[in-house]
């Protein structure tokens, strides 16, 4: 398990909190290129569904973020959904995506 810098650990903490607050299957957080953070949980409505990372990216972009520096996803599934990966890679090809379990332990850091 890689050690995270404080700002990346903050993303994991925010993602865990978002997941727990609404009892979602996933929680996610992103940091934009200005250092602002955005957190979200899974959205599962009859008319649309978003992974937690898609929702966090949407929050960032709708708030004027011009890029994403890093992201974190907390999930009990142990894997990153392709839709989540694409949400980041559409705007930040090499931003690290930290995948963590519900306890906050890092499973892996994806850079591509």
């Amino acid at each position: 398990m890689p050690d995270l810098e404080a700002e990346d650990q903050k993303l994991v903490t925010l993602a865990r909190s978002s997941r727990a607050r609404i009892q979602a299957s996933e929680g996610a957080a992103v940091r934009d290129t200005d250092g602002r953070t955005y957190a979200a949980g899974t959205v599962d409505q009859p008319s649309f569904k978003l992974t937690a990372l898609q929702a966090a990216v949407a929050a960032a972009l709708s708030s004027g973020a011009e890029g994403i520096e890093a992201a974190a996803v907390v999930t009990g599934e142990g894997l990153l959904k392709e839709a989540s990966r694409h949400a980041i890679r559409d705007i930040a090809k090499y931003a690290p995506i930290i995948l963590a379990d519900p306890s906050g332990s890092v499973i892996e850091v994806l850079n591509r």
Side-chain angles (χ1 to χ4, degrees):
M1 279 182 270
D3 288 329
L4 299 179
E5 293 185 20
E7 287 299 307
D8 291 341
Q9 185 59 52
K10 176 181 172 184
L11 290 177
V12 173
T13 300
L14 289 169
R16 287 183 70 210
S17 296
S18 291
R19 180 180 183 268
R21 183 174 50 253
I22 62 170
Q23 299 177 356
S25 60
E26 293 181 336
V30 298
R31 183 175 57 249
D32 73 12
T33 50
D34 290 329
R36 297 174 295 191
T37 56
Y38 308 85
T42 307
V43 177
D44 190 359
Q45 295 294 307
S47 61
F48 70 101
K49 298 179 185 329
L50 295 174
T51 68
L53 193 50
Q54 286 175 317
V57 168
L61 294 176
S62 67
S63 295
E66 294 183 12
I68 300 295
E69 189 175 276
V73 176
V74 172
T75 179
E77 295 178 19
L79 60 104
L80 183 68
K81 294 181 172 130
E82 279 300 307
S84 294
R85 183 187 314 268
H86 291 300
I88 291 294
R89 297 298 174 236
D90 284 349
I91 51 178
K93 259 197 178 343
Y94 303 108
I97 305 171
I98 303 156
L99 183 62
D101 68 18
S103 74
S105 294
V106 176
I107 297 167
E108 69 178 311
V109 178
L110 304 147
N111 290 309
R112 284 193 131 213

